[in-house]
């Protein structure tokens, strides 16, 4: 096995996570990124507890670094609608207003959803890559794919052609590898967005709430502001044509807008940027040795915070499968289950983020500003025949349309009966937005279906609630979190006891199930783990959380998803054997290592 067995293109969150997870499985990889340093301009900030669980497996030191960056939850709990940053809010959602809900959410994972700007997160991920002996991380290397070869170009040197066994396209929304493979993205473009990243130390005086998100409806501006750590902020607004000032003369545009929106506070622009809001999935996630993960495979509206988190989940789904192939002799067809399992999940994320985006209209429709009309205008302005009209003219038309929409917000500042009615309508609609910001059901409740999951007795794990997660060991679901004792008597999250290789069988009846597994003499490696509660009083809770009683067992694969469960004790041994022989015999045929791992830079054909 060489580092060129797996080459990952793109060291964003998806690619970096994959490289780190592969290393945990003993698989060396090469990962290239055309950038020398991580991007300053932040995008993501919502980091799901599930991503933190996955990164705990990938690199415990990384999770330590991220914990140090995590802001206290009572500083990231307010979502505000307002006319300007300093004015009285039109209304708010306080995510901490239901203490019971917080207790419930905390019970789902050892981690809590966090807010870490991507500009802070990515340097930590890159540091973890640099520290990993099995990862050959090449900064400043640009990749392309031509005539079946992957071209890797170091800075200031000609490209080298390599033909790795697997190429992972983690090269983001505008993936060149996806384009070269002729894989189209399907789904609508919803809006074009311009954004500014700025520092403003005195924006919120001490003692005032600093909202995590502010949806702003100012007479000269409408958009959303994200509060980041260290008095940094991102302010975003839609635009209709690339010749508009926000895209073409962005710094000047934002210097004009910022004083209006943030008042007299001093500010310093750190960077500006544009991005396209889409709800799109690649028509396939795999073409031969090319596998698409993260934004290269799917891109969603930012509303919901699913983009980066789903890329981390893609990597998690793929890593143990690549390890099973490269290290344990599994058939290459195992990789087909990547798309079978992930596509329905990311389809749901795309739908939910799009729903969240349009659901914001419930608040703003009385104002006459909606994301639906923005979508229609965006599609209209992108009609091919309009390309014949000079940019100057298009920019003027687009500016007028934008201004006509934005100026409707003037009605909000009027202190007359109409203004008051409008403000009340908007305030009344704000509580309808809660699902947008608390989606524990999707964060933990995404489940897989396909040939590796036993659906013969209970059927597939159905999509649950968006807002509420209902822990379940239904095959396909993520193993629910519960603290247990390991073999040395240490209290640990049950996920920590899931083996990276083979399947892990959790049961309270260890003696019986150890005998069953031994008698069955299966090729699939199975580690039997006792469900031991941290203290005797918790025993019932631990057993109930696994939903299989005192005699049953839950079988879990390396990414923590349940593949089989049974309450029947010894009587179920035939059923277990049949399932494993039909579904899993091809995954671990050799039952052991084909070849030990080596340090990444020892064998690369790129040297
Ligand atoms: C405003 C905004 C807010 C968002 N908020 C959230 C949020 O709160 N939570 C969330 O989960 N998601 C959020 N997202 C989405 C999130 O930012 C993306 O989903 C995420 O960055 C995708 O990660 P990735 O690793 O797939 O791709 P990227 O982060 O785009 O990384 C791709 C990498 O590939 C490299 N690359 C590209 N081409 C090449 C090449 N040819 N050769 C070598 N390297 C190459 C790039 O330099 C880059 O480092 C948000 C997005 C936006 C725009």
């Amino acid at each position: 096995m060489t580092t060129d067995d797996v080459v990952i293109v793109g060291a964003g969150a998806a690619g970096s996570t994959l490289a780190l997870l592969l290393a945990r499985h003993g698989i060396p990889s090469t990962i290239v990124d055309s950038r020398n340093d991580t991007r300053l301009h932040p995008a993501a900030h919502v980091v799901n507890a599930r991503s933190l669980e996955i990164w705990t497996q990938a690199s415990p030191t990384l999770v330590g670094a991220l914990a140090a960056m995590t802001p206290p939850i009572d500083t990231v709990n307010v979502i505000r609608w307002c006319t300007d940053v300093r004015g009285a809010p039109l209304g708010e959602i306080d995510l901490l207003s239901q203490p019971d809900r917080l207790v419930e959410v905390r019970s789902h994972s050892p981690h809590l959803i966090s807010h870490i700007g991507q500009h802070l997160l990515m340097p930590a991920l890159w540091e973890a890559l640099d520290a990993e002996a099995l990862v050959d991380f090449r900064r400043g290397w640009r990749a392309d794919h031509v005539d079946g070869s992957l071209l890797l170009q170091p800075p200031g040197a000609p490209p080298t052609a390599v033909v790795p066994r697997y190429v992972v396209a983690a090269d983001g929304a505008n993936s060149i590898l996806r384009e070269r493979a002729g894989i189209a993205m399907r789904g609508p473009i919803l809006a074009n967005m311009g954004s500014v990243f700025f520092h403003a130390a005195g924006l919120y005086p001490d003692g005032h709430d600093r909202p995590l998100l502010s949806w702003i409806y100012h007479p000269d501006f409408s958009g959303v502001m994200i509060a980041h750590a260290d008095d940094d902020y991102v302010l975003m607004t839609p635009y209709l044509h690339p010749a508009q000032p926000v895209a073409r003369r962005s710094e000047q545009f934002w210097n004009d807008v910022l004083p209006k929106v943030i008042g007299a506070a001093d500010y310093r622009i750190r960077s500006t940027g544009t991005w396209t809001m889409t709800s799109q999935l690649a028509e396939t996630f795999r073409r031969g040795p090319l596998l698409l993960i993260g934004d290269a495979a799917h891109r969603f509206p930012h509303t919901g915070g699913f983009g980066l988190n789903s890329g981390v989940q893609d990597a998690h789904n793929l890593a143990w499968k690549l390890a099973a192939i490269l290290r344990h002799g599994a058939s290459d067809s195992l990789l087909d289950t990547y798309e079978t399992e992930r596509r329905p999940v990311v389809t749901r994320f795309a739908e939910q983020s799009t729903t969240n985006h349009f659901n914001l209209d419930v608040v703003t429709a009385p104002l006459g500003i909606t994301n639906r009309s923005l979508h229609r205008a965006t599609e209209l302005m992108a009609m091919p025949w309009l390309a014949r009209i000079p940019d100057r003219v298009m920019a003027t038309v687009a500016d007028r349309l934008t201004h006509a929409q934005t100026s409707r917000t003037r009605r909000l500042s009027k202190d007359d009966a109409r203004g008051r009615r409008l403000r009340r309508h908007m305030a009344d609609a704000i509580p309808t937005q809660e699902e947008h910001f608390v989606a524990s059901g999707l964060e933990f409740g995404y489940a897989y279906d396909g040939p590796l999951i036993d659906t013969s007795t209970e059927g597939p794990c159905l999509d649950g609630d968006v807002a509420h997660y209902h822990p379940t060991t239904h095959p396909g679901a993520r193993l629910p979190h519960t603290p247990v004792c390991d073999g040395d008597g240490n209290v640990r999250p049950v996920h920590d006891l899931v083996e990276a290789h083979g399947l892990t069988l959790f049961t309270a009846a260890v003696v019986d199930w150890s005998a069953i597994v031994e008698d069955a003499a299966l090729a699939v490696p199975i580690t039997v783990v006792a469900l031991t509660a941290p203290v005797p009083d918790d025993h019932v809770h631990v057993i109930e959380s696994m939903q299989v009683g005192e005699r049953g067992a839950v079988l879990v694969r390396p990414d923590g998803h349940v593949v089989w469960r049974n309450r029947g004790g010894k009587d179920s041994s035939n059923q277990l054997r049949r399932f494993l022989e039909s579904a899993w015999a091809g995954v671990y045929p050799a039952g052991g290592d084909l070849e030990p791992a080596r340090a990444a830079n020892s064998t690369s054909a790129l040297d």
Side-chain angles (χ1 to χ4, degrees), residues 9-16 32-35 42-47 118 122 126 141-144 170-177 195 226 234 236 275 293-296 298 300-302 304-311:
V9 176
S16 302
V32 298
D33 200 289
S34 50
R35 304 181 69 89
H45 62 106
V46 180
V47 175
Q118 208 163 344
M122 287 315 304
W126 279 29
W141 283 51
R142 178 172 296 281
D144 203 342
D171 50 344
N174 301 314
S175 169
I176 188 82
L177 266 60
S195 65
I226 304 168
V234 167
M236 303 191 282
W275 58 284
I293 66 171
D295 275 18
H298 42 73
F300 321 130
H302 62 126
F306 294 111
L308 179 146
N309 290 299
S310 61

Side-chain angles (χ1 to χ4, degrees), residues 377-396:
T378 304
E379 286 194 328
L380 190 74
M381 295 295 275
M383 301 212 357
W385 62 270
L386 287 175
R388 282 184 250 134
I389 299 175
D391 276 0
R392 183 176 37 82
V393 177
M394 288 305 292
T396 308

Side-chain angles (χ1 to χ4, degrees), residues 5 119 498:
D5 275 340
H119 61 302
V498 175

Side-chain angles (χ1 to χ4, degrees), residues 88-131:
L90 296 164
E92 290 182 341
I93 292 177
D94 180 354
L95 301 175
L96 294 180
S97 62
Q98 301 168 43
D100 294 354
R101 184 87 170 94
L102 181 61
V103 172
E104 180 203 316
V105 170
R106 276 193 190 283
S107 73
H108 298 328
S109 171
H111 303 279
L112 192 60
I113 192 166
S114 180
H115 291 274
I116 303 173
Q118 208 163 344
H119 61 302
L120 302 174
L121 171 72
M122 287 315 304
L125 274 163
W126 279 29
E127 232 171 78
L129 289 179
D130 283 335

Side-chain angles (χ1 to χ4, degrees), residues 16-29 54-62 128-129 131-135 316 319-320 323 327-328 499-501 558 597:
S16 302
T17 304
L18 180 61
L20 292 170
L21 285 169
L22 285 173
R24 290 286 74 71
H25 288 286
I27 305 293
S29 64
I54 293 169
W55 285 330
T56 303
Q57 279 179 24
S59 164
T61 50
L62 167 69
L129 289 179
E132 180 50 67
L134 289 178
V135 174
H316 199 217
W320 70 269
R327 199 158 171 189
H328 307 295
E499 289 289 325
H501 168 55

